[in-house]
Amino acid sequence: MKRFMVLVWLFSFVVVFAWSAHETLTYLVVKSCLPNADDLVQITPYSYEEKRIYNTERLILDDLCGRFMVNFIPSWAKFYPPDPAPINGKVPVWQVLTVYSVEPDLGMDEGLTLSPLQSIIGNSQGVRHMKYKLLFFDFFEGSESFLYFVEMSRQAFGRNDRYWGYRFLARAIHYLEDLSMPYHNAPGRLGEVLESLLWNEEKGMELAYRHFSYDDYLAYLLYFKDEEVIGSIVEAQPKRVRNMRELIQRVRLLGLRNLEAVNRIFASVYPGLDRTLSWNDFEASSAHLKELKNITKLIMKEFSAYLKGFLLDFLTQVGEI
């Protein structure tokens, strides 16, 4: 029972977070690809009937533009998107997409009953934000969350409600970004997961801290304005796919293909640690840090290309560009 609870602890914590700095990643993508990024849209009230349930105590439906960055960005960050106050009730497209790409992490998916497997992972937010692949089976609803908000965005644009069209689209972007993160596609190698469940509870804690550390690493790179990583995002050229299913598959493969390498790097520097890594821990192993950065650059470049292609195609379909 104790080992089972450790696995619950592992899953319940690691699935809450994917990449940090959603707003900065989204800002860099949007500003580097959308021809209408500076268009102004009128803020409108929420007026939708949805099939999806939320934690209504944590769901935010008011506009946060002009108030978001100061309240949610860590004080140590050196680089993050601007967040001007609305002018005459209007905000630019880039700001809606930037601010609300963080929205799903603010609690609207927490504290719900969503899946019979929820008791295993211990957190409803994880059900909606990840898509685990173990052996030949997929678990949870990360890809469905993306598709749901793409459709809500399409409905809003169909009503000529541009503000909520972009706000729902920002939520969709969040879930797609989550799907590119290696540890959002699996908590570790299958053998490690089984080890943490069957006989080694410390392995479960180690996997959790690996996830926390890699999550923090992207925030570290973006918030401190690493030029190589930012360049990989900004300079990525749009990649088109045939349909949404192919988009989801390609994005998930970015995470799954790189899981083994990321795991290997963290395993080489993690023995004995019971916390999230500080990047000073890598000073004696600069080759590992260089490799981790190269992997992260690759994921960001490929993901940004797919996200740009999706945004350009979708916004063309709904008549925005």
Side-chain angles (χ1 to χ4, degrees):
M1 176 59 70
K2 187 176 181 181
R3 291 193 179 106
F4 174 77
M5 292 307 296
V6 168
L7 187 65
V8 169
W9 179 88
L10 159 67
F11 282 167
S12 66
F13 277 87
V14 302
V15 301
V16 171
F17 305 100
W19 295 122
S20 290
H22 279 278
E23 76 298 320
T24 306
L25 171 56
T26 303
Y27 174 77
L28 293 168
V29 168
V30 168
K31 289 290 282 184
S32 62
C33 82
L34 290 189
N36 68 332
D38 294 324
D39 286 1
L40 296 178
V41 296
Q42 183 70 47
I43 297 170
T44 54
Y46 176 83
S47 59
Y48 294 85
E49 293 185 7
E50 296 191 51
K51 299 176 182 177
R52 177 165 277 213
I53 62 170
Y54 301 106
N55 181 335
T56 55
E57 293 183 357
R58 302 290 299 276
L59 178 66
I60 300 171
L61 297 176
D62 294 334
D63 185 70
L64 293 175
C65 293
R67 299 176 289 156
F68 179 79
M69 301 301 166
V70 68
N71 289 309
F72 293 98
I73 300 300
S75 59
W76 52 262
K78 305 298 183 184
F79 171 72
Y80 49 88
D83 187 24
I87 298 177
N88 297 323
K90 294 182 179 181
V91 289
V93 165
W94 66 260
Q95 190 174 9
V96 180
L97 292 175
T98 295
V99 167
Y100 296 107
S101 66
V102 187
E103 192 170 21
D105 275 347
L106 301 184
M108 68 187 204
D109 292 331
E110 295 178 7
L112 305 173
T113 301
L114 301 175
S115 166
L117 296 176
Q118 189 170 315
S119 60
I120 297 176
I121 63 171
N123 187 289
S124 62
Q125 180 156 330
V127 173
R128 284 186 170 167
H129 290 241
M130 72 180 186
K131 191 74 171 179
Y132 272 175
K133 187 173 186 66
L134 296 173
L135 291 176
F136 303 106
F137 302 99
D138 287 335
F139 301 91
F140 309 120
E141 303 172 3
S143 56
E144 290 81 1
S145 295
F146 166 68
L147 293 172
Y148 176 82
F149 283 111
V150 170
E151 180 56 31
M152 289 302 302
S153 176
R154 194 185 305 276
Q155 289 182 27
F157 281 123
R159 292 169 50 173
N160 200 32
D161 185 355
R162 300 180 69 213
Y163 173 79
W164 278 97
Y166 282 109
R167 186 159 170 175
F168 285 135
L169 182 59
R171 293 183 187 177
I173 289 171
H174 177 102
Y175 294 104
L176 193 65
E177 290 172 347
D178 279 2
L179 291 174
S180 72
M181 206 286 194
Y183 289 117
H184 246 236
N185 289 276
R189 295 189 300 271
L190 179 61
E192 293 177 314
V193 176
L194 293 176
E195 178 184 345
S196 67
L197 174 61
L198 297 176
W199 73 86
N200 186 359
E201 61 192 47
E202 292 183 359
K203 175 61 70 174
M205 296 180 184
E206 180 183 330
L207 294 178
Y209 283 115
R210 288 185 201 176
H211 183 114
F212 295 150
S213 296
Y214 197 32
D215 180 31
D216 286 349
Y217 183 50
L218 181 64
Y220 168 84
L221 291 170
L222 293 181
Y223 287 152
F224 279 97
K225 203 175 183 179
D226 184 278
E227 297 295 342
E228 293 181 43
V229 174
I230 288 177
S232 71
I233 296 167
V234 171
E235 296 166 14
Q237 296 302 304
K239 284 190 177 182
R240 262 68 176 200
V241 295
R242 292 168 296 181
N243 51 50
M244 294 292 183
R245 179 179 179 183
E246 182 181 353
L247 173 64
I248 290 168
Q249 289 175 335
R250 287 177 180 258
V251 169
R252 289 186 67 203
L253 278 173
L254 287 175
L256 289 167
R257 278 203 310 261
N258 289 285
L259 178 64
E260 177 66 29
V262 172
N263 250 335
R264 173 176 49 77
I265 293 168
F266 278 114
S268 68
V269 295
Y270 239 105
L273 292 175
D274 59 354
R275 56 181 170 79
T276 301
L277 279 175
S278 161
W279 300 109
N280 292 329
D281 293 314
F282 277 96
E283 287 182 350
S285 307
S286 59
H288 289 125
L289 185 57
K290 182 178 180 180
E291 184 180 2
L292 186 65
K293 183 175 177 179
N294 286 335
I295 292 170
T296 307
K297 283 165 51 182
L298 173 64
I299 294 174
M300 287 295 97
K301 180 179 180 179
E302 289 293 302
F303 172 74
S304 298
Y306 287 124
L307 178 54
K308 289 178 183 182
F310 160 70
L311 288 173
L312 290 169
D313 286 347
F314 177 75
L315 292 173
T316 298
Q317 292 170 13
V318 297
E320 283 292 301
I321 56 177

